[in-house]
Amino acid sequence: MNIASLPKLPTVDLDLPQTLLVHDPDDRISDVAQSIPYKRVLPAPSSSDSLAPKAHATSHGQLHLTRASRIGCGHHSNVYRAAFIVGEHAPAAVVAKVAVARQAAREMLEHEARVYDGLALGFVPRFFGYYAPFPESAASGSSPSPILLLEECGEVIDPGALSDADKAQIISLFHQLHDAGLLQKSPFRKNILVDSQSEQCQGQGAFRIIDFGRAVEKDSQRVPEEQEQGWAEMCAEEIREVKKVLKMKMEVRPGYRGG
Ligand SMILES: Nc1ncnc2c1ncn2[C@@H]1O[C@H](COP(=O)(O)OP(=O)(O)OP(=O)(O)O)[C@@H](O)[C@H]1O
């Protein structure tokens, strides 16, 4: 299957399969040279979902990824364009994020999946589910990594090629994230993507913020009233970091003497 030429999976409502058979001929997610069964962990299967063989065909899906289909890597993961087949539908491309073989990396991937599961914002990748190998292996270090499935969102930005309006838009996305009670916590260039192919990504603008493995949720910090100021300062600091990434002029704060 030529994964590179597949169309993107449409982001319209889709019944996510409850189980996935993952085809990994190049051993990218485990050293087991066979297809691996996964089950959906998030969004949590509802009681109406069924694993019974009679269940609707879309309860079962398939995922194909190869060494050649890798599109990115970070300190904690490898990221692949993967062919996703749901029920009888034609294959379509999604992004499959796979943790490297370290427990901390798996914990970050799970945290990121929880963040996506709770986020309803148009400028982050659409979440297509978080799947874990099934049955679970006793030795979690050597077992295949869980897989986070996301919408493919284009290329890393080139700050030198962005207009002032583009930069203002990216800043506004981070403000919206903060207003939604989330700090991204790794506002690097590699985590701001632009889809130059999209027609403004269905009205959402072409920019996407990714990588929520280190994200901090305001609620999870149980920010008491008196610490609101601390949260506001953390948000302001993140905005300053984004401005640095975008090579924007920094405002000189009152009383700041430089150095
Ligand atoms: N949804 C996506 N669409 C397109 N490319 C993506 C997507 N997600 C990740 N990538 C690519 O993969 C790269 C690495 O992804 P990501 O930053 O999420 O990995 P990570 O291991 O969590 O990073 P780190 O731990 O170093 O912060 C990105 O910079 C980007 O090039």
Side-chain angles (χ1 to χ4, degrees):
M1 182 177 317
N2 184 356
I3 298 174
S5 65
L6 290 176
K8 272 175 57 169
L9 184 69
T11 54
V12 290
D13 281 337
L14 169 87
D15 286 334
L16 295 175
Q18 203 184 349
T19 62
L20 261 191
L21 194 58
V22 178
H23 306 282
D24 170 33
D26 301 332
D27 301 344
R28 305 307 293 171
I29 48 173
S30 79
D31 50 11
V32 184
Q34 61 188 39
S35 301
I36 308 167
Y38 276 69
K39 69 174 178 189
R40 199 177 81 222
V41 178
L42 294 170
S46 70
S47 52
S48 59
D49 286 336
S50 170
L51 278 172
K54 277 201 309 262
H56 195 266
T58 55
S59 296
H60 306 286
Q62 298 191 51
L63 192 78
H64 297 252
L65 57 85
T66 64
R67 177 190 297 270
S69 71
R70 192 170 80 156
I71 57 169
C73 65
H75 293 101
H76 298 87
S77 70
N78 285 297
V79 178
Y80 299 87
R81 177 182 294 115
F84 190 37
I85 304 168
V86 181
E88 305 297 311
H89 295 280
V94 295
V95 155
K97 187 166 174 176
V98 177
V100 298
R102 286 202 310 270
Q103 189 56 29
R106 292 185 179 198
E107 284 165 13
M108 281 178 74
L109 193 69
E110 182 176 341
H111 175 67
E112 183 169 17
R114 291 193 187 286
V115 170
Y116 277 116
D117 193 33
L119 265 188
L121 296 171
F123 55 86
V124 303
R126 177 75 185 266
F127 176 51
F128 293 131
Y130 176 67
Y131 290 83
F134 177 78
E136 287 161 38
S137 151
S140 66
S142 60
S143 65
S145 165
I147 300 178
L148 172 62
L149 295 184
L150 297 170
E151 175 191 4
E152 189 177 357
C153 292
E155 314 294 327
V156 173
I157 55 162
D158 171 4
L162 296 176
S163 66
D164 288 350
D166 289 336
K167 293 180 183 183
Q169 195 189 348
I170 292 169
I171 296 290
S172 104
L173 300 185
F174 276 88
H175 279 303
Q176 288 177 57
L177 205 56
H178 299 162
D179 290 348
L182 200 69
L183 277 163
Q184 198 262 0
K185 289 299 246 180
S186 36
F188 307 123
R189 189 173 80 91
K190 74 177 188 67
N191 292 331
I192 307 171
L193 305 185
V194 60
D195 189 348
S196 45
Q197 311 282 304
S198 89
E199 291 185 14
Q200 294 288 288
C201 295
Q202 283 114 38
Q204 294 287 349
F207 298 107
R208 294 287 182 272
I209 301 174
I210 63 162
D211 192 3
F212 292 92
R214 296 178 190 81
V216 174
E217 287 162 285
K218 192 175 181 183
D219 284 346
S220 71
Q221 287 213 321
R222 294 202 179 80
V223 183
E225 199 83 344
E226 64 273 16
Q227 285 177 19
E228 272 293 333
Q229 189 56 36
W231 175 262
E233 182 46 46
M234 287 193 284
C235 294
E237 178 58 30
E238 186 153 281
I239 295 292
R240 284 194 286 277
E241 288 174 32
V242 178
K243 286 184 174 174
K244 266 191 235 161
V245 166
L246 298 176
K247 302 188 192 312
M248 292 170 77
K249 283 207 189 93
M250 307 296 278
E251 293 149 28
V252 179
R253 283 178 282 165
Y256 179 72
R257 288 162 181 274

